[in-house]
Amino acid sequence: MGCLRVSTDDGFPFNALTYNGIWLVNNMQAKQRQRPTYPSSVRQKGRQSHILVVDDEPGLREICDEALTDAGYVVECVSSGQEALDFLDDSEVDLILSDFRMPNMSGLELLERVKGKGFDTDFLIMTGFGSIETAVECIKMGAADYLPKPFNISHLLLKTKKVLKDRLDRLERKKLSSLVRMLNLSNALNMQLDLSALVQEFLFHVQNNFNPDSMLFHLPDSLALNRVTVRGALLRTNRPLFLWLNKICEAVKKKGQSKIIDRFSVAMEEGTLFCPVEEFSYSIMVVPLVQYSQKIGTIAVVRSSEKAEYTPADLQLLTIFSSHIASSLQNARLYTKMKALNREVIGSYARAVEAKDIYTSGHSDRVARYARALGESLGLQAQELEILYTAGILHDIGKIGVPDSILNKPGRLTSEEYDVMKKHPRIGRDILSQVTSFREILPIVYHHHERIDGKGYPDGLTGNEIPFLARIVSVVDSYEAMTSDRAYRNALPAATVRKILEDGAGTQWQADLVKHWLELIATKDVLADT
């Protein structure tokens, strides 16, 4: 390592360090100042991103530690692959920055062990043995990216930032996918009043979402249902595996703790294994069914070695699935409570979308209540009112795909930014189309920004081409937006809002709906009465 004393234009002294062709510039006086608040680019869900540096060379570990720490990351360093695995047993990290060639365990071997043990972390490999073949091998093994040596610190920071940004985006998409799957399951269970039908529906969704070779549904204390339900040939034809898994299910039910069992962890299981440890070639998840703190059974899913091993994210989702079926099994009359829970899940996700824009807190809830109130005044039936309310809650869910910088921009949007904003009805429709019970609200979510004169979006429909319930939501959505503070303006006075609605009646909004709405809000406090 070399050290060179330099200065910047502002007169602050710097040390420029070099190590194996890597340049690091370090502001020595800045270390003594208080750190600023780090931007969201180095944060994961409200916390600083955690990085584990793995390299057998102390100098390189020190350089990476200092550079990444100064960039705002939380950094830990270890000198070998085994130390990294030991660290991961007790701690979570967002990114592993590992050297390719190390004694005892190479970077690729570490990557394989990390993936095999199901640790939820991304992997960035550094190596001085750069080649296209090496890069391809790293990516095939599951690395997020590849960093050839020698590299400068700015290159390291750019790569790190990109990998962590991609990770955050991927986790958001996975969260959204998991939400859709939970809603699908919840809606399917809500439609079943028969206990046997509930179990069959649950196992159908487990099969579709987790792709096991076999499933074991264990209800040892059940009087109304089969105490053991087996699906798939693997457990039917391998009796030693079946009997062993039954004992595992009993132990999980007793302790109430979910677990993943694979070739790395099977040796730690209590009791006698049905085969030599080195021949164990399955990935298994076992989750207890808990009903008001009472453990009533378990669900186990099994994959052979021909399929990918289960991950902690899979276990978390199966745990949520299990909580749904446990609640549904309590008795068939929980149907109405499950429907209310479904609405709460929908509302919580709508609020999560609103959290992207600090000025729209409560917007979806108010639009939903306004729409239902206007529908009631028009004499709509209960089913249409429910559709209106649900559509009001979810009408802006597509804004999850709009960057925060656009949603919270204090000034007028550029034409390019407005084009991005106009995509949110289509994004919302695409998200909700994955939930079959939302089929009736899709036209409302998709068309609530159309105009009577055809100048709206996304399809430029006119008049009666626009779905009637979407025309209702359009009126109350606009009213709510104008009467609330936004990033680019304060709430408008009531008289101004009335004038805008009256001027737009017949062009932007359906005239008689505007008239009904203005009469309604003039005679009652809509929010107080809904």
Side-chain angles (χ1 to χ4, degrees):
M1 180 183 296
C3 181
L4 176 65
R5 187 75 165 178
V6 297
S7 297
T8 60
D9 292 339
D10 61 6
F12 286 115
F14 279 74
N15 283 337
L17 303 178
T18 63
Y19 185 84
N20 284 356
I22 303 169
W23 284 85
L24 170 67
V25 177
N26 174 39
N27 186 332
M28 303 303 288
Q29 290 193 3
K31 279 178 167 287
Q32 301 173 6
R33 305 176 193 156
Q34 184 177 4
R35 286 192 186 279
T37 300
Y38 296 113
S40 59
S41 60
V42 301
R43 291 178 176 268
Q44 297 276 340
K45 304 301 289 181
R47 64 173 177 82
Q48 288 169 250
S49 299
H50 286 61
I51 299 175
L52 178 64
V53 177
V54 188
D55 200 294
D56 58 314
E57 299 184 48
L60 185 56
R61 291 200 305 272
E62 180 182 346
I63 287 174
C64 292
D65 185 4
E66 190 168 347
L68 293 169
T69 300
D70 285 347
Y73 301 105
V74 176
V75 183
E76 299 289 344
C77 296
V78 295
S79 60
S80 69
Q82 187 56 55
E83 287 183 31
L85 293 174
D86 294 341
F87 182 87
L88 292 171
D89 282 334
D90 300 318
S91 305
E92 294 182 359
V93 299
D94 300 299
L95 174 64
I96 295 174
L97 179 63
S98 173
D99 193 17
F100 181 84
R101 182 167 294 186
M102 296 182 291
N104 301 321
M105 186 185 300
S106 71
L108 279 184
E109 290 171 329
L110 173 60
L111 173 59
E112 182 181 14
R113 295 287 297 276
V114 166
K115 296 298 181 183
K117 297 187 75 170
F119 293 126
D120 183 18
T121 180
D122 279 63
F123 215 94
L124 179 59
I125 286 188
M126 308 176 290
T127 179
F129 304 92
S131 68
I132 295 298
E133 291 76 14
T134 304
V136 170
E137 187 178 6
C138 292
I139 301 302
K140 279 185 176 180
M141 290 288 294
D145 211 335
Y146 165 82
L147 189 62
K149 296 178 185 177
F151 55 81
N152 58 41
I153 292 303
S154 62
H155 192 197
L156 167 66
L157 296 179
L158 284 173
K159 285 275 190 178
T160 300
K161 181 178 179 181
K162 179 183 181 300
V163 170
L164 290 172
K165 175 63 167 60
D166 291 345
R167 172 184 173 82
L168 183 59
D169 291 343
R170 185 179 68 254
L171 292 177
E172 286 293 327
R173 290 193 300 270
K174 183 178 291 187
K175 179 182 177 182
L176 183 58
S177 174
S178 296
L179 175 72
V180 169
R181 290 191 279 177
M182 284 187 289
L183 288 173
N184 273 324
L185 174 69
S186 180
N187 286 324
L189 296 184
N190 285 344
M191 296 171 65
Q192 301 293 342
L193 299 178
D194 178 74
L195 289 176
S196 295
L198 276 173
V199 172
Q200 299 307 314
E201 191 71 42
F202 172 69
L203 294 178
F204 170 79
H205 281 267
V206 171
Q207 179 68 50
N208 281 355
N209 285 281
F210 299 97
N211 191 27
D213 292 309
S214 263
M215 294 182 287
L216 177 59
F217 192 62
H218 205 249
L219 292 172
D221 302 320
S222 174
L223 298 177
L225 295 166
N226 292 332
R227 297 186 179 185
V228 178
T229 301
V230 178
R231 290 282 183 86
L234 180 60
L235 287 175
R236 294 183 186 277
T237 59
N238 190 332
R239 186 162 181 79
L241 173 61
F242 170 75
L243 294 175
W244 174 79
L245 187 55
N246 257 294
K247 293 180 179 179
I248 295 294
C249 287
E250 291 171 1
V252 166
K253 174 180 176 290
K254 182 177 180 180
K255 294 182 179 180
Q257 296 178 343
S258 303
K259 64 168 58 179
I260 293 178
I261 305 172
D262 54 27
R263 56 199 170 102
F264 298 106
S265 62
V266 67
M268 295 183 289
E269 293 300 318
E270 298 177 0
T272 303
L273 186 59
F274 66 95
C275 68
V277 172
E278 60 272 13
E279 294 180 10
F280 187 87
S281 58
Y282 307 100
S283 179
I284 301 173
M285 294 192 293
V286 188
V287 175
L289 275 61
V290 181
Q291 190 179 90
Y292 293 111
S293 74
Q294 181 182 359
K295 309 173 193 74
I296 63 170
T298 54
I299 174 69
V301 294
V302 185
R303 280 180 181 171
S304 65
S305 58
E306 297 173 358
K307 295 181 179 178
E309 295 181 330
Y310 287 118
T311 68
D314 294 324
L315 185 66
Q316 183 181 36
L317 185 59
L318 183 58
T319 301
I320 296 172
F321 271 41
S322 299
S323 69
H324 276 284
I325 187 61
S327 297
S328 296
L329 286 172
Q330 184 181 12
N331 62 56
R333 288 176 294 180
L334 280 177
Y335 174 77
T336 54
K337 292 184 179 181
M338 289 294 291
K339 185 177 180 181
L341 175 61
N342 189 37
R343 177 176 290 181
E344 290 174 10
V345 171
I346 295 168
S348 67
Y349 197 73
R351 288 190 291 273
V353 175
E354 290 176 357
K356 288 166 63 72
D357 180 354
I358 60 175
Y359 291 92
T360 60
S361 177
H363 168 74
S364 296
D365 179 66
R366 290 189 291 272
V367 169
R369 293 162 71 183
Y370 286 156
R372 185 169 58 189
L374 180 53
E376 288 174 348
S377 74
L378 295 170
L380 299 186
Q381 298 300 310
Q383 183 179 1
E384 291 175 302
L385 295 177
E386 183 66 19
I387 292 171
L388 266 179
Y389 182 86
T390 303
I393 289 290
L394 294 172
H395 74 287
D396 275 343
I397 198 170
K399 287 184 177 178
I400 193 73
V402 178
D404 295 1
S405 59
I406 294 178
L407 290 176
N408 295 309
K409 184 175 180 178
R412 180 180 294 274
L413 299 180
T414 65
S415 59
E416 293 80 11
E417 291 170 336
Y418 186 52
D419 286 339
V420 173
M421 177 67 81
K422 289 195 295 184
K423 293 179 181 179
H424 81 269
R426 188 181 303 276
I427 296 172
R429 182 193 63 178
D430 292 344
I431 292 171
L432 299 175
S433 65
Q434 300 176 65
V435 183
T436 54
S437 63
F438 289 157
R439 187 176 300 132
E440 292 177 305
I441 73 169
L442 295 182
I444 308 172
V445 172
Y446 184 62
H447 291 297
H448 73 278
H449 278 294
E450 304 283 3
R451 291 172 51 113
I452 296 298
D453 60 9
K455 297 180 180 179
Y457 62 88
D459 291 343
L461 302 184
T462 62
N464 291 334
E465 293 177 341
I466 306 169
F468 178 64
L469 298 185
R471 284 176 259 162
I472 291 177
V473 171
S474 177
V475 171
V476 299
D477 182 34
S478 299
Y479 173 81
E480 202 291 325
M482 288 187 284
T483 55
S484 300
D485 290 336
R486 292 299 171 100
Y488 49 90
R489 59 151 176 80
N490 293 326
L492 301 178
T496 301
V497 174
R498 173 178 285 272
K499 181 71 165 54
I500 292 173
L501 288 172
E502 289 174 340
D503 290 344
T507 55
Q508 183 167 353
W509 306 284
Q510 184 170 318
D512 60 336
L513 292 180
V514 172
K515 181 175 180 293
H516 269 99
W517 179 246
L518 292 177
E519 290 174 351
L520 181 64
I521 60 176
T523 56
K524 63 185 293 189
D525 184 343
V526 175
L527 290 181
D529 293 341
T530 57

